[in-house]
Amino acid sequence: MKKLKMKINDNFNKNYEKLKEILPNAFTEKITGYDENGTPIVERAIDVDILKAEIGCVPVEGKEERYRFTWPDKKRAVLLSNEPTTSTLRPCKEKSINFDDTQNVYIEGDNIEVLKILQETYLDKIKLIYIDPPYNTGKDSFVYDDDFILSNEEFNHISGKYDQDGNILFDFRLNNETNGRFHTDWLNMMYPRLKLARNLLSDEGIILINMDENEIVNLQKICAEIFGEQNDLGTIIWDKRNPKGDARGISYQHEYILVYAKNKNAFLNSCKMQRPKKNANMILAKAKSLFSKIESGYTLEEINTEFSQWISKQTELSGGEKAYNKIDEHGEVYRGVSMAWPNKKKAPDDYFIPLIHPTTQKPCPIPERGWRNPSATMKDLQNKGLILFGKDESTQPTRKYLLSENMYENIPSLIYYGGSDTAMLEGFGVPFDTPKVVEICKEHIMSFTGKDDIILDFFSGSGTVAHGVMAANAEDSLNRKFIMVQIPEECGAETPLGRAGFKNICEAGEMRIAKAGEMLKKINPSLDCGFRVFSCASSNMEDVYYSPAEYSQAVLFNMADNIKADRTAEDLLYQVMLELGILLSSQIAETGINGKRVFSVEKDFLMACFDSDITNEVVTEIAKRKPHYAVFRDGGMVNDSVMANFEQIFAAYSPGTVKRIL
């Protein structure tokens, strides 16, 4: 049986294999030196000349000027995203809510490690990544220990006119010595995380990133590099209606939400990029109330006058919503829209057939370039009562649009919202500072995701995205799932959260999600408001598991086990699941076979037994259930006879099972 790697995210090898599959003739080997015995050290290499010939590009070398976005230590930031990890996730059932049945996940840990851990299991599976990272205002404290923050001496050396390869550093301008490192630390923190995050998005997936003015320019450059300029879906400006009081220049009252797709065409084919008209239901309710007055003797004209006046006074309505300011004889709210041919070129002759006024029986004016639709469509619209005529034939007819049939609108580039969730969170007992607004978050989740989609936030903070996912599901009954990731940053004793008794941000975030779930359950009792909590930890395996060659035979004999003493069978199960690409939310059943503890994941897709002294009977019973994967501990068989029979048992009952040991 093959041994599990218990190591994730070796992107160096993945990228190598991808390129080699496309251009195998460009790959070769090279002697890079000799060991102490004089044996050549051979490493894989790429033939630049062949690569250049195959893709028709001119290489840029040395100090040649080129367009690029760089900063001190960018190379190490790239390398960090590609390095593998042996870290794993340990289940924390005592912190979880409805652990066995929920499909939601909350992970406590540094997000760079967690994103690496999720690479196998959630590769191409996330529909929406929605993050609110540190804004780098000068007041942020970076709690992410990426082990490559530069000292002043190192920074002064590297932030000159050229980097170590002689490349000009275009991004540093007049004040690079005083301000460069300030941005460098933030860029080094963000770049590898976004690079890893992109791998998790499905082809139809997108990422939304909240940001203020301090790093918006750098964030746009990072996203253009990682996601590609061609996948930019636009930037939403959120007017928060509250100018910053401590501004020394222009007082900003807005923030940005960058929207990038992994594959723009694939995303647009799967999503209309529309949102519900915010106030449509309110408008319809008002119209219904006014229309009921007809029974009291009001005329339709009087009702329309009152309705139009009411519409004009509603400051929260968008221009598109205010256009729906009329009520017809059936009580439907409607607006008129031009039916003129939209293109500059003249329409075909069939688009110039005149409409006959229903009262005067005379032809109405035709738009200069013709109608929007052919004559057959125009006739059908007229028969359905969806064309609006004037009092006589002198007025050009318009198309009648019913609000009840047009409850959605395109996603606008501007959001006007000055509200806050502070009071709600204080009511929950979790007084977070400046949390994201759940209403805006919910709106985007409903606009960009659908049934069974997974939403990821790896700067979870106050848990607004999780709240938004549950709120969206409560409203439309779709089964979206969330994955929240948050480093357990300590709450200062004098902070609002510290005074409320929380030791770290994770405790407060989990409390907020739980309280929000309780509230939303009253709206939709069938809602999944639970979450499985995991903590990011070092591998379950001892160092000897990864590098046995570094240990002498005597030491190996003295080591009774390659699994750490404090790790449980559940710990091992989840590390195995992560390597085999099985979702953390998968259903897990536990059974006993001949006194041995056996796990069944997703109805026997994976069966695992980490006990010792496994007998033929246990192996046979597992094989009879025909799992896709079967995993055991190395040396877990009771004797050599069982080990010898192992392959024959599976060959007889389940030859297709993939067998692994750890």
Side-chain angles (χ1 to χ4, degrees):
M1 288 187 288
K2 289 185 178 179
K3 197 170 187 178
L4 290 167
K5 296 180 298 181
M6 304 299 266
K7 181 186 293 187
I8 294 175
N9 186 52
D10 189 352
N11 279 340
F12 295 116
N13 280 319
K14 288 181 183 177
N15 294 334
Y16 174 85
E17 293 299 334
K18 287 177 184 176
L19 286 173
K20 190 174 181 181
E21 184 177 347
I22 299 171
L23 296 170
N25 57 324
F27 288 83
T28 183
E29 295 178 345
K30 179 181 178 181
I31 296 176
T32 58
Y34 298 86
D35 63 19
E36 62 274 12
N37 299 318
T39 304
I41 300 172
V42 180
E43 295 187 19
R44 62 193 186 191
I46 188 166
D47 191 317
V48 177
D49 291 332
I50 294 178
L51 188 64
K52 184 170 56 174
E54 289 284 1
I55 62 178
C57 289
V58 177
V60 182
E61 300 175 356
K63 296 182 180 180
E64 290 184 65
E65 294 184 359
R66 82 288 301 270
Y67 179 80
R68 69 186 306 189
F69 176 52
T70 189
W71 61 89
D73 238 10
K74 180 181 179 181
K75 287 185 177 179
R76 291 176 69 185
V78 175
L79 290 171
L80 179 65
S81 66
N82 289 323
E83 291 173 354
T85 182
T86 59
S87 295
T88 189
L89 300 179
R90 302 180 68 185
C92 305
K93 290 190 176 182
E94 69 283 358
K95 295 183 179 181
S96 305
I97 295 178
N98 195 23
F99 186 96
D100 292 334
D101 298 320
T102 185
Q103 294 183 301
N104 301 315
V105 172
Y106 188 103
I107 303 173
E108 301 179 356
D110 187 341
N111 51 19
I112 190 74
E113 285 298 298
V114 174
L115 287 169
K116 290 181 179 182
I117 292 168
L118 299 180
Q119 290 294 295
E120 298 287 349
T121 302
Y122 289 92
L123 181 71
D124 300 330
K125 289 186 175 68
I126 305 295
K127 181 61 180 292
L128 170 63
I129 296 175
Y130 199 162
I131 59 173
D132 188 12
Y135 286 1
N136 208 21
T137 62
K139 300 175 183 178
D140 299 301
S141 59
F142 290 169
V143 295
Y144 301 96
D145 182 17
D146 294 341
D147 196 28
F148 65 163
I149 300 301
L150 299 175
S151 68
N152 286 323
E153 183 179 352
E154 291 173 319
F155 179 79
N156 291 334
H157 173 72
I158 199 172
S159 64
K161 188 176 180 181
Y162 299 98
D163 69 13
Q164 61 186 4
D165 294 326
N167 298 316
I168 296 174
L169 302 177
F170 287 107
D171 60 317
F172 296 107
R173 299 181 178 87
L174 296 177
N175 64 340
N176 64 323
E177 299 304 315
T178 58
N179 203 34
R181 171 161 178 177
F182 176 70
H183 295 294
T184 292
D185 288 352
W186 186 86
L187 288 164
N188 282 337
M189 185 270 295
M190 287 297 297
Y191 191 90
R193 288 163 173 82
L194 290 177
K195 197 167 182 292
L196 288 165
R198 182 187 179 278
N199 298 336
L200 302 180
L201 285 175
S202 67
D203 278 347
E204 298 82 21
I206 63 168
I207 184 170
L208 272 64
I209 311 174
N210 286 62
M211 189 51 55
D212 74 354
E213 70 278 5
N214 289 287
E215 292 290 358
I216 184 62
V217 173
N218 284 331
L219 180 61
Q220 288 170 326
K221 290 178 181 178
I222 292 178
C223 288
E225 182 171 312
I226 292 174
F227 297 96
E229 290 182 359
Q230 72 277 13
N231 292 313
D232 184 0
L233 288 165
T235 299
I236 297 170
I237 309 298
W238 175 9
D239 183 351
K240 306 183 81 169
R241 304 294 182 94
N242 184 24
K244 293 182 178 180
D246 58 352
R248 300 185 65 183
I250 300 296
S251 184
Y252 284 87
Q253 68 179 45
H254 68 272
E255 292 185 2
Y256 306 86
I257 303 175
L258 267 62
V259 187
Y260 272 82
K262 185 174 185 179
N263 182 319
K264 187 174 182 178
N265 291 332
F267 171 73
L268 293 177
N269 287 335
S270 68
C271 179
K272 295 180 180 179
M273 283 203 75
Q274 291 186 325
R275 69 176 187 181
K277 286 188 172 73
K278 285 180 173 294
N279 302 293
N281 288 323
M282 179 183 72
I283 295 171
L284 293 175
K286 181 65 176 179
K288 183 178 180 181
S289 173
L290 291 174
F291 191 72
S292 66
K293 291 184 177 182
I294 287 182
E295 298 176 359
S296 304
Y298 282 74
T299 66
L300 185 60
E301 184 177 356
E302 290 171 331
I303 288 171
N304 267 294
T305 299
E306 187 175 345
F307 184 60
S308 179
Q309 291 173 347
W310 178 82
I311 287 284
S312 65
K313 294 177 182 178
Q314 306 307 305
T315 58
E316 69 272 27
L317 300 184
S318 67
E321 290 171 335
K322 283 191 172 184
Y324 286 93
N325 60 1
K326 296 180 177 63
I327 304 174
D328 69 9
E329 65 277 11
H330 304 295
E332 291 278 6
V333 178
Y334 71 94
R335 63 174 293 188
V337 179
S338 171
M339 293 191 294
W341 178 256
N343 302 324
K344 292 183 178 180
K345 292 183 178 180
K346 183 180 176 182
D349 292 343
D350 188 48
Y351 289 67
F352 284 86
I353 306 299
L355 291 172
I356 306 302
H357 194 277
T359 302
T360 67
Q361 295 300 305
K362 294 180 180 180
C364 298
I366 300 172
E368 183 180 352
R369 291 192 293 270
W371 299 110
R372 179 181 289 269
N373 306 111
S375 59
T377 302
M378 299 295 285
K379 184 176 181 180
D380 182 59
L381 290 172
Q382 187 171 0
N383 291 338
K384 292 178 178 178
L386 295 178
I387 292 181
L388 300 170
F389 291 91
K391 292 182 178 179
D392 57 35
E393 74 281 356
S394 63
T395 303
Q396 190 179 101
T398 57
R399 168 79 154 83
K400 182 180 182 180
Y401 276 84
L402 302 179
L403 177 56
S404 60
E405 295 178 356
N406 293 276
M407 300 289 282
Y408 289 83
E409 62 185 1
N410 292 336
I411 304 293
S413 63
L414 296 174
I415 295 175
Y416 300 96
Y417 191 92
S420 167
D421 288 343
T422 301
M424 177 182 65
L425 294 184
E426 288 179 350
F428 287 166
V430 282
F432 277 99
D433 292 329
T434 61
K436 286 201 295 286
V437 177
V438 71
E439 187 61 30
I440 291 176
C441 191
K442 182 190 78 170
E443 177 186 303
H444 289 143
I445 289 168
M446 295 184 73
S447 298
F448 297 130
T449 66
K451 184 180 180 182
D452 297 326
D453 283 339
I454 303 174
I455 295 91
L456 167 67
D457 179 0
F458 52 89
F459 288 99
S460 176
S462 63
T464 300
V465 170
H467 188 163
V469 170
M470 295 187 297
N473 288 341
E475 188 166 321
D476 59 21
S477 298
L478 299 183
N479 186 36
R480 303 175 185 86
K481 282 93 66 174
F482 65 74
I483 300 175
M484 299 293 106
V485 183
Q486 175 61 43
I487 193 168
E489 179 183 357
E490 292 184 4
C491 300
E494 297 306 314
T495 64
L497 288 175
R499 288 193 294 270
F502 294 103
K503 295 179 181 178
N504 60 59
I505 299 296
C506 293
E507 285 185 0
E510 290 159 8
M511 174 69 80
R512 185 266 177 88
I513 298 170
K515 292 290 186 180
E518 291 174 6
M519 179 179 69
L520 293 167
K521 272 279 193 182
K522 298 174 182 177
I523 301 172
N524 187 339
S526 63
L527 198 64
D528 179 5
C529 294
F531 50 91
R532 292 182 178 182
V533 178
F534 295 86
S535 65
C536 183
S538 62
S539 173
N540 296 308
M541 316 308 291
E542 298 282 6
D543 291 342
V544 66
Y545 185 89
Y546 300 102
S547 52
E550 297 180 7
Y551 293 82
S552 67
Q553 191 170 16
V555 172
L556 289 175
F557 278 128
N558 290 329
M559 299 188 73
D561 207 339
N562 58 11
I563 299 170
K564 292 177 180 175
D566 65 334
R567 303 305 167 96
T568 67
E570 286 87 352
D571 292 335
L572 295 174
L573 177 65
Y574 279 101
Q575 187 164 6
V576 168
M577 288 169 59
L578 287 164
E579 180 167 338
L580 297 179
I582 300 172
L583 300 185
L584 292 169
S585 57
S586 298
Q587 290 295 307
I588 299 171
E590 185 180 330
T591 186
I593 299 177
N594 278 45
K596 301 302 177 184
R597 191 181 184 193
V598 179
F599 295 99
S600 170
V601 181
E602 287 298 316
K603 298 179 180 179
D604 296 348
F605 179 77
L606 161 67
M607 294 193 73
C609 180
F610 305 116
D611 287 353
S612 302
D613 299 329
I614 302 298
T615 62
N616 284 330
E617 290 75 17
V618 175
V619 175
T620 301
E621 190 61 34
I622 291 175
K624 284 181 177 179
R625 291 169 68 162
K626 295 180 170 55
H628 181 78
Y629 288 110
V631 179
F632 301 86
R633 289 176 73 161
D634 189 11
M637 304 304 158
V638 67
N639 53 44
D640 291 342
S641 174
V642 176
M643 198 63 178
N645 294 334
F646 186 92
E647 291 291 347
Q648 294 178 355
I649 293 172
F650 270 94
Y653 292 104
S654 185
T657 294
V658 179
K659 302 171 289 296
R660 294 288 184 267
I661 57 172
L662 56 84

